[in-house]
Amino acid sequence: MSRPRIVIVGAGFAGYRTARTLSRLTRHQADITLLNPTDYFLYLPLLPQVAAGILEPRRVSVSLSGTLPRVRLVLGEADGIDLDGRTVHYTDPEGGEGTLRYDRLVLAAGSVNKLLPIPGVAEHAHGFRGLPEALYLRDHVTRQVELAAAAGDRAECAARCTFVVVGAGYTGTEVAAHGQMYTDAQVRRHPMRTGMRPRWMLLDVAERVLPEMDERLSRTAERVLRQRGVDVRMGTSVKEATHDGVLLTDGTTVDTRTLVWCVGVRPDPLVESLGLPMERGRLLVDPHLQVPGRPELFACGDVAAVPDLNRPGQYTPMTAQHAWRHGKVCAQNVAASLGVGGERRAYRHRDMGFVVDLGGAKAAANPLGVPMSGPAAGAVTRGYHLAAMPGNRVRVAADWLLDAVLPRQAVQLGLVRSWSVPLESASPEVARVPGRPDNDAAGGPADGAPAGARSGGDSAAGRSGAGAEAGAHRPGGGPARGRQGEPAANQPGREPAKNQPGREPAKNQPGREPAKGQPGGEPAKNQPGPEPAKHQPPKNQPAEKQPGEAQSAAGGSGRQRRPAEAAESRPDRAPGKPRKTSEPPRATKPSTTPTTPKPSAMPKSSRPPGARAPGAPAPSRSARPPADPGPEPPANQPPPGPDIAPGPVKRTDGRAAEGDS
């Protein structure tokens, strides 16, 4: 008899706790599969400390395979559930598709950013729900302070030193508190020439900071923020966001390059497609976390509207504390439904209090209903986090100790670019990268992408200034790969590269004779050119390159790249899917039939530079299309193929040209 199959969608607080408890209860009596976009559990409450440089990213990332024995991990995002067929359809990180069958399904997909219809927010703001967003914010804030220190204009310095955080809940309050300490430490070590100090603003339409907490804790948090210099404005929000600043609801205009969106969260849209009863976007369940009428379907965490038995008629709030406890009860009820556990139980909670880390030795906490502040609250807060973390406790404690005795490293690594963390209602755990299946078949961003990405512009192109971030999207939807610190040579605002239409083609590009040395260090004799090389296959042998196949990089290595490598170099093409194009494919086999030379087919010495001999293989191309087509090419120059990309080119004269990479 086959073992029952349990599929858990999501590895947040609820999903991770469900998988860990089921692994202990079933003991090889069931097949447990965990579907998640990443291979780690993110301890979200410590994410502001990652953005402030206190903790390294891996400290708050707990390995799923290393801490969940007897649980099979499948990387991917669920995009469809067939309740009648009992299957879950998903897409893996490389664009492949798969299906998981289940006997019991646990939905714990979590939550996503909550967007409001405010003009410009989707284009110019960034959320704070995932690790990529925290890493981007750390680099961005560091960059703004460094650019402000070098700016001679006082107005520009003030705009770069102003950081606006919208939302005074748990996340927004902690981001503003830690951010002010982080930027003040940078300025103390490297004072600005204008004598200015970084300014953090915290906005919310609520009447007080931390409206979910006790009023006494709210006053404590606001007092700490104001003592540090944070501009706290309650009853105020953003009316419009622009490239150079924000317009507030009170009519004030604030010049800034940073807008952090911490307004709130909403349940993952996956549950909306099920057609089951909902409560404000959450799936209605009974006190046993089971969907009525579907005995095989369970839900917990932020996607589940769980009745609050202590407050009849209400539902448990969307907090990490409730999600963690949901997971344990859900696992017990799933095991009981399969006959491998004890009796099922209803979810009933007892409020243990809340903690808010305000940086340094300051915090606001009310453990067991006892309000605390100052260093005592700070010690309780960090002790609670160490006890609640399912792993990495020693590493986290070591980072806290080092931060207390050593200065922080204010460096920007540039690993996460602004276009890869757009503010959208999608999974915040994974950064958007070129070639992901988020883009449609035409190469444009998904429907949920911000308008700035759909129009081809970087949603935050001007916030970092001086082209410090990848500032332009290609017409195909993927960002152009320019050199860090300045736009690519073929991007708008710069002179087109030598291998682009409108300028003289590079020596190793179509329309000119190939250069003597190609990237990779191989001579031109074994490269395709105006005449076949000595080591090339005979003319009647089909060429190796077929339409839709990923070819090796320029340099003639002769090997085909793996799909992952192809996705890296082909932002306009989703992995695992054939490339769609409106133009006919190029000939894959040179003609072997002798033909009468036409007037244009003259000897090599008298042929123009843009022509090549009939039957000769086409010159090699790199793997990315140009971002800007530029002016019309000359009539005797073949159009650039879809695989041309900017980048440095090795030349025999020792200089670097803007051309094929």
Side-chain angles (χ1 to χ4, degrees):
M1 182 178 178
S2 61
R3 295 184 296 181
R5 295 165 296 189
I6 305 173
V7 175
I8 305 171
V9 178
F13 280 89
Y16 181 87
R17 186 74 182 276
T18 301
R20 193 172 75 168
T21 307
L22 275 174
S23 174
R24 176 178 53 85
L25 293 176
T26 58
R27 297 186 180 275
H28 300 288
Q29 299 183 51
D31 292 331
I32 306 173
T33 301
L34 180 61
L35 178 63
N36 197 59
T38 63
D39 64 345
Y40 60 84
F41 158 74
L42 177 63
Y43 190 74
L44 198 60
L46 293 182
L47 202 58
Q49 299 191 23
V50 174
I54 300 175
L55 298 177
E56 290 301 316
R58 285 188 175 87
R59 304 296 185 257
V60 298
S61 308
V62 180
S63 172
L64 296 178
S65 57
T67 57
L68 295 178
R70 301 180 293 276
V71 175
R72 174 194 172 208
L73 173 63
V74 176
L75 293 178
E77 295 187 53
D79 49 26
I81 298 176
D82 183 3
L83 297 178
D84 296 329
R86 296 195 176 187
T87 58
V88 177
H89 184 272
Y90 69 92
T91 303
D92 66 27
E94 295 185 351
E97 299 179 351
T99 302
L100 297 174
R101 297 188 176 275
Y102 65 85
D103 297 305
R104 296 292 185 273
L105 176 63
V106 179
L107 292 178
S111 56
V112 296
N113 289 313
K114 180 181 180 181
L115 303 184
L116 298 179
I118 299 177
V121 167
E123 293 83 4
H124 302 287
H126 287 280
F128 199 82
R129 287 288 300 166
L131 200 55
E133 294 170 329
L135 294 177
Y136 165 75
L137 183 62
R138 176 177 174 178
D139 279 358
H140 177 75
V141 170
T142 305
R143 183 184 302 115
Q144 293 307 306
V145 175
E146 292 171 349
L147 292 174
D153 183 39
R154 188 175 181 87
E156 179 185 357
C157 180
R160 295 192 181 280
C161 284
T162 301
F163 307 95
V164 179
V165 181
V166 184
Y170 295 101
T171 303
T173 301
E174 291 186 347
V175 168
H178 284 281
Q180 184 73 66
M181 292 186 63
Y182 179 61
T183 53
D184 284 349
Q186 285 185 266
V187 174
R188 281 197 298 269
R189 297 179 63 186
H190 303 284
M192 298 183 182
R193 292 185 295 177
T194 57
M196 300 189 66
R197 179 190 177 190
R199 173 192 181 195
W200 284 77
M201 298 182 63
L202 182 62
L203 313 176
D204 202 308
V205 295
E207 298 180 355
R208 56 187 176 91
V209 177
L210 299 172
E212 307 91 347
M213 297 185 65
D214 181 75
E215 188 174 355
R216 186 183 304 181
L217 298 181
S218 176
R219 291 196 303 266
T220 299
E222 184 173 353
R223 183 177 66 253
V224 172
L225 291 175
R226 294 188 183 277
Q227 288 175 352
R228 290 183 182 167
V230 178
D231 186 359
V232 181
R233 299 191 183 185
M234 294 293 98
T236 306
S237 186
V238 174
K239 184 177 181 181
E240 182 182 358
T242 63
H243 171 79
D244 298 322
V246 293
L247 175 63
L248 305 184
T249 53
D250 59 1
T252 306
T253 300
V254 179
D255 294 335
T256 181
R257 302 292 188 270
T258 308
L259 181 59
V260 186
W261 192 256
C262 302
V263 169
V265 295
R266 72 183 188 92
D268 193 289
L270 175 67
V271 297
E272 298 177 357
S273 62
L274 300 179
L276 297 174
M278 309 288 292
E279 171 63 28
R280 295 186 179 181
R282 294 196 285 175
L283 193 61
L284 275 174
V285 297
D286 59 21
H288 302 91
L289 308 181
Q290 198 168 17
V291 177
R294 293 282 179 176
E296 77 285 355
L297 182 59
F298 295 79
C300 55
D302 291 346
V303 299
V306 182
D308 191 342
L309 300 182
N310 295 330
R311 296 181 299 174
Q314 299 188 28
Y315 300 92
T316 58
M318 298 168 58
T319 63
Q321 186 177 131
H322 281 289
W324 186 254
R325 298 174 182 179
H326 285 176
K328 181 179 180 181
V329 175
C330 183
Q332 294 174 344
N333 292 337
V334 170
S337 68
L338 295 174
V340 295
E343 297 293 331
R344 67 175 190 162
R345 49 175 292 196
Y347 177 74
R348 188 184 297 271
H349 76 283
R350 179 189 175 193
D351 190 359
M352 303 293 294
F354 297 94
V355 295
V356 179
D357 187 4
L358 300 176
K362 301 296 182 65
N366 60 344
L368 300 177
V370 180
M372 302 176 64
S373 61
V380 170
T381 299
R382 296 201 168 184
Y384 169 79
H385 287 316
L386 287 180
M389 288 194 68
N392 297 343
R393 297 186 180 95
V394 176
R395 291 183 172 91
V396 170
D399 277 4
W400 284 340
L401 178 61
L402 292 176
D403 180 70
V405 298
L406 296 176
R408 302 178 194 175
Q409 291 182 302
V411 295
Q412 47 170 322
L413 301 179
L415 300 178
V416 181
R417 316 299 280 173
S418 62
W419 48 262
S420 63
V421 284
L423 183 63
E424 59 181 18
S425 294
S427 174
E429 296 89 358
V430 181
R432 300 296 179 260
V433 297
R436 277 184 53 83
D438 305 336
N439 295 351
D440 54 22
D447 293 338
R454 290 193 294 270
S455 63
D458 190 354
S459 61
R463 289 199 302 268
S464 60
E469 296 175 355
H473 286 263
R474 305 193 316 180
R481 290 178 178 265
R483 292 173 297 181
Q484 184 176 359
E486 61 181 6
N490 63 339
Q491 297 303 313
R494 288 241 357 222
E495 186 178 4
K498 294 183 178 181
N499 64 331
Q500 301 300 324
R503 285 205 48 182
E504 181 182 359
K507 293 185 178 182
N508 61 339
Q509 297 299 319
R512 286 287 305 267
E513 188 173 344
K516 294 181 180 181
Q518 297 292 332
E522 297 188 15
K525 291 183 179 181
N526 62 344
Q527 299 296 325
E531 58 184 19
K534 295 180 180 181
H535 300 289
Q536 295 295 327
K539 292 184 177 181
N540 57 354
Q541 181 176 348
E544 292 182 0
K545 181 177 180 180
Q546 299 296 332
E549 293 183 357
Q551 298 296 318
S552 60
S557 61
R559 69 176 181 90
Q560 294 184 352
R561 291 182 291 181
R562 298 186 299 272
E565 297 175 349
E568 283 288 331
S569 61
R570 292 295 300 274
D572 60 329
R573 179 179 170 190
K577 297 183 179 181
R579 175 167 59 95
K580 296 183 179 180
T581 178
S582 58
E583 58 181 358
R586 296 179 179 271
T588 58
K589 182 175 70 174
S591 174
T592 58
T593 305
T595 58
T596 304
K598 296 182 180 180
S600 60
M602 56 187 66
K604 176 182 176 181
S605 59
S606 60
R607 283 198 306 269
R612 57 186 177 90
S620 61
R621 298 173 297 176
S622 61
R624 291 187 295 272
D628 187 5
E632 289 293 332
N636 61 344
Q637 178 178 337
D643 298 332
I644 297 177
V649 175
K650 296 184 179 179
R651 294 173 50 166
T652 56
D653 54 3
R655 295 180 297 161
E658 296 289 336
D660 189 13
S661 59

